[in-house]
Amino acid sequence: MTAGPRGGNRALIALAGLLLLGAGGAVLVAGLGAAPDAVLLSEATRERWQDRAWWWPAVMAALAVLVVLALMWLAAQLRRPRAPEVLVDTHDGGAATLRGRALEAALEAEAEAVDGVARARVRLTGAGAAPEAYVSLYVEPDADPAFMLTALTDTVLHHARATTGLPVLPVEVHVRAAGRRVGRVT
């Protein structure tokens, strides 16, 4: 296993999987050896909290919190981590590091300078030596998407590759219409 948060997550996933597998196996073994009309929980166990009005709402609330936490954890696992630093070739045999957020901000500023782009958001992911860019362009209604993509690849991304010394910078571009507030008519 690797060190760091990913390694810890993998260890927790493996441990949880083993515990669930063991619990499921124990229930299966207990169920195979029991009579066909036997139940897992006895009637006394099921009715133990029946006269308490707070019990079932508390159980449902606890289960709802567990489901929300599990979904948040799953979303965190699926999210791509940001590139904290990008290695920049200094052309003298050495290398320098550039903060990933600084490069993101520079790419956003250059992309927003393109005609027709109302707003741009850039996210760099991957390793420092081979980052990937995810660009969201929010465009004006009268903008020409072909012109914007050409300007983005020919100027903004070319400038980023030349500045950082990266031979390639894979990019995924999402083009969306910029939201406009419509004035009220009275």
Side-chain angles (χ1 to χ4, degrees), residues 43-130:
E43 188 173 342
T45 304
R46 287 191 316 264
E47 293 177 355
R48 179 177 176 190
W49 301 98
Q50 189 172 7
D51 59 343
R52 309 238 198 277
W54 59 268
W55 172 250
W56 290 114
V59 168
M60 293 302 156
L63 291 175
V65 167
L66 282 175
V67 166
V68 168
L69 289 174
L71 289 174
M72 288 172 50
W73 175 80
L74 179 63
Q77 296 303 308
L78 297 176
R79 190 176 308 127
R80 294 181 180 116
R82 285 187 174 218
E85 295 177 339
V86 177
L87 296 176
V88 178
D89 184 14
T90 58
H91 302 293
D92 63 357
T97 57
L98 174 65
R99 283 190 18 229
R101 295 204 185 222
L103 184 56
E104 288 174 359
L107 286 170
E108 285 176 5
E110 282 193 53
E112 287 174 353
V114 173
D115 287 336
V117 176
R119 192 175 76 212
R121 294 290 172 251
V122 177
R123 183 177 174 103
L124 292 176
T125 63

